[in-house]
Amino acid sequence: MKPIRFDNTYARELEGFYAPWPPDTVPAPLLLRLNVSLAEELGLDVGALDAGRTARVFSGNEPPAGATPIAQAYAGHQFGGFSPQLGDGRALVLGEVIDRHGHRRDIALKGSGRTPFSRGGDGKAAVGPVLREYLIGEAMHALGIPTTRALAAVGTGEIVARERPLPGAVLTRVAASHLRVGTFQFFAARGEHDKVRRLADYAIARHGPHLADGPDLPPPPDRYAALLRAVAERQASLLADWMLVGFIHGVMNTDNMSISGETIDYGPCAFMEGYDPQTVFSSIDTGGRYAYGNQPAIAQWNLARFAETLLPLMTKDQAMEVIAAFPSLYEDRWLVSIRAKLGLAIPEAGDAALAKDWLTLLHTQQVDFTLAWRRLADLAGGQPEPLTALFEDTGALHVWLDRYQHRVDAEPGSAVTRAERMRRSSPIYIPRNHRVEEALTAASDHSDLGPFDRLLDVITHPFEERPDHEDYSAPAPLAVTACYQTFCGT
Ligand code: AMP
Ligand code: MG
């Protein structure tokens, strides 16, 4: 194999922000899955690797030449309480590569053993959560939502001790970077403001605001205010994306919010079925802090924590202005996307109210969020029955549909093209929770990756309705959803 062309700026430029640390050696690395298209995007020469060597490389047994494995330091607010020291307790960034599109990407291992940040943890990961992160990340990517992605999942041949003994695995994760809000908090909490500034400069160079070395980069403090604004814009956009596919992250702690604007750290995440803003699946989120409907407000709260770390670099007014603007940034992004889902091309003043009343209708009747949107597209294309079949009280639906039809009548374009456009922004397949569990159980308990592969195939083509895949679009039985709980899997 040609060596991976690492160029490890974080390790090189930010000494003192991490601990250099080797991965553990595992007894019996076995390649579960390799993400070949992502490998190609990264310019990795995977065709030259046999499965055995791939497993050794991506288990951490034979770190690739040029890797400089590091455990990054970070802190974080977890469920509102501040933990000054978290850090990569079971993950290592191997290094960075420039992908085929010219973007710098981190390649990291997760589940690669204890590090100086492990606290009480064993540093390991189990097959189930590793494959969950693989599946959900690929689903999000296919939905067009910024996300970290899995490059490989390797079984370790070890048993990890959880509520019950489970087979172990290592995930190789690719990310635009692993800079988190919590990374800034780690140094700010120690009063190391010079390090916060260096991190901010690094973030600007790596993620924008686009002008890193250009003549247009404003001098401080505007430069740092521009960084804060860029992060707020990315998060507003990301949150709108999440909300419009019914994604519930489940653990939106500040250490799980990426500066790059990617979805990161798939733990107890899940997709909503019947529309209800109070939906929570995570077993540890007993107060519902990270419920579906709270997510935009939590993102703003997290951004305020980020802004606090930058206060020595900008004026308080600058920080306040960005944080105060977040709700309208989010609403604007949300409105653009929900218009697309409604099939509306020309903005009109009543669109937000029309959309919100639709959601209220779904809420009142607990209609499946994903199917409702998709069947609305069918209606727009001239087939109303699949939509009406989702509602118990079709009277209320028809009241809303009359308004909708009136609104659509003001739009240019044919019904067919509108329906097509709507189907491109509302998936038919999401990773249904019961399907995800089925795939993970088969893989973890029976070493059977068949259900995983079938589900991966479906959710990586989320907009393409396939007649023989109806059981992948169907919601879980109500009784299953009512009891469904997700776990951190740590
Ligand atoms: P998470 O909830 O996965 O975002 O992780 C929160 C913190 O706990 C991070 O510092 C992780 O590195 C750490 N952590 C999670 N699981 C483990 C584990 N099994 N061993 C060591 N550290 C862990
Ligand atoms: Mg995390």
Side-chain angles (χ1 to χ4, degrees):
M1 167 171 118
K2 281 188 290 188
I4 299 176
R5 294 216 289 175
F6 283 110
D7 175 35
N8 305 337
T9 58
Y10 200 95
R12 201 163 61 226
E13 297 168 17
L14 293 174
E15 215 174 299
F17 292 69
Y18 59 83
W21 202 258
D24 276 2
T25 300
V26 307
L30 175 73
L31 184 63
L32 299 175
R33 285 299 172 263
L34 176 70
N35 190 336
V36 174
S37 69
L38 179 58
E40 282 164 359
E41 192 177 312
L42 296 174
L44 306 188
D45 176 23
V46 287
L49 282 187
D50 61 70
R53 171 108 163 91
T54 307
R56 292 196 297 280
V57 168
F58 294 119
S59 62
N61 278 12
E62 293 176 12
T68 51
I70 56 170
Q72 295 184 350
Y74 56 85
H77 276 89
Q78 300 182 301
F79 290 90
F82 187 61
S83 303
Q85 175 154 334
L86 295 168
D88 287 331
R90 54 163 172 168
L92 295 168
V93 177
L94 295 178
E96 302 152 29
V97 297
I98 308 293
D99 71 17
R100 293 239 153 109
H101 311 292
H103 298 137
R104 182 175 294 277
R105 315 273 287 268
D106 277 3
I107 301 181
L109 301 180
K110 188 166 174 181
S112 48
R114 289 178 52 79
T115 77
F117 301 107
S118 296
R119 297 169 293 153
D122 62 1
K124 301 292 181 180
V127 163
V130 161
L131 292 180
R132 170 190 286 274
E133 179 150 353
Y134 196 131
L135 271 175
I136 310 287
E138 288 309 284
M140 295 292 264
H141 176 69
L143 290 165
I145 301 177
T147 179
T148 65
R149 295 179 66 189
L151 176 61
V154 178
T156 59
E158 284 175 327
I159 296 296
V160 296
R162 296 295 181 260
E163 278 185 351
R164 62 189 173 101
L166 294 170
V170 174
L171 178 80
T172 303
R173 175 161 85 181
V174 174
S177 81
H178 284 81
L179 283 171
R180 308 154 188 266
V181 168
T183 320
F184 288 78
Q185 290 182 292
F186 182 92
F187 299 100
R190 284 166 175 69
E192 297 187 271
H193 300 302
D194 184 57
K195 284 192 167 168
V196 174
R197 187 188 48 73
R198 285 173 61 199
L199 266 183
D201 288 337
Y202 181 85
I204 291 169
R206 188 154 175 182
H207 298 302
H210 308 301
L211 319 154
D213 296 316
D216 301 337
L217 183 66
D222 293 356
R223 171 183 313 189
Y224 300 110
L227 170 66
L228 178 60
R229 198 171 307 110
V231 174
E233 280 165 6
R234 285 180 206 133
Q235 288 296 331
S237 173
L238 181 67
L239 267 288
D241 287 350
W242 287 2
M243 297 302 281
L244 291 175
V245 296
F247 176 74
I248 307 166
H249 184 282
V251 59
M252 284 182 71
N253 295 334
T254 56
D255 52 305
N256 293 336
M257 183 184 266
S258 167
I259 300 302
S260 75
E262 285 182 339
T263 314
I264 192 167
D265 277 0
Y266 293 98
C269 61
F271 280 78
M272 183 171 60
E273 300 231 312
Y275 183 78
D276 182 351
Q278 307 287 333
T279 307
V280 175
F281 290 115
S282 167
S283 62
I284 55 170
D285 192 3
T286 46
R289 179 182 170 87
Y290 299 139
Y292 168 79
N294 288 355
Q295 296 185 118
I298 291 290
Q300 184 189 23
W301 192 89
N302 289 350
L303 277 171
R305 307 288 80 76
F306 179 47
E308 280 164 6
T309 73
L310 300 176
L311 276 181
L313 302 173
M314 68 177 77
T315 69
K316 202 170 169 199
D317 284 350
Q318 283 178 309
M320 302 266 284
E321 189 188 319
V322 177
I323 302 307
F326 184 79
S328 63
L329 271 183
Y330 166 75
E331 283 282 328
D332 290 349
R333 277 289 291 109
W334 177 87
L335 189 54
V336 167
S337 299
I338 211 157
R339 270 199 188 102
K341 288 172 84 78
L342 288 167
L344 304 175
I346 316 248
E348 271 192 21
D351 293 347
L354 184 72
K356 284 179 183 167
D357 291 344
W358 162 249
L359 295 178
T360 304
L361 187 64
L362 301 188
H363 187 191
T364 318
Q365 301 200 37
Q366 296 277 302
V367 181
D368 185 83
F369 185 65
T370 306
L371 287 183
W373 282 112
R374 192 71 184 194
R375 298 312 173 211
L376 185 66
D378 293 339
L379 172 128
Q383 284 180 291
E385 299 81 11
L387 181 68
T388 44
L390 296 176
F391 287 77
E392 263 178 32
D393 172 9
T394 51
L397 170 65
H398 283 296
V399 171
W400 185 85
L401 282 178
D402 285 344
R403 266 170 78 198
Y404 176 63
Q405 194 54 55
H406 186 70
R407 173 66 183 84
V408 164
D409 288 342
E411 287 273 315
S414 76
V416 175
T417 52
R418 180 173 313 111
E420 273 312 305
R421 243 190 5 248
M422 290 168 77
R423 290 191 190 103
R424 282 198 298 274
S425 50
S426 289
I428 178 72
Y429 305 113
I430 53 163
R432 295 273 174 187
N433 302 322
H434 63 301
R435 289 285 174 197
V436 173
E437 293 306 324
E438 172 189 72
L440 303 189
T441 304
S444 185
D445 293 355
H446 308 292
S447 305
D448 173 10
L449 273 97
F452 173 89
D453 287 335
R454 286 192 290 279
L455 182 58
L456 185 67
D457 173 48
V458 172
I459 64 184
T460 49
H461 304 88
F463 301 106
E464 233 177 82
E465 189 155 2
R466 297 193 249 173
D468 51 336
H469 284 66
E470 209 171 324
D471 34 341
Y472 284 95
S473 62
L478 275 183
V480 172
T481 299
C483 306
Y484 186 62
Q485 275 209 324
T486 54
F487 299 90
C488 267
T490 50

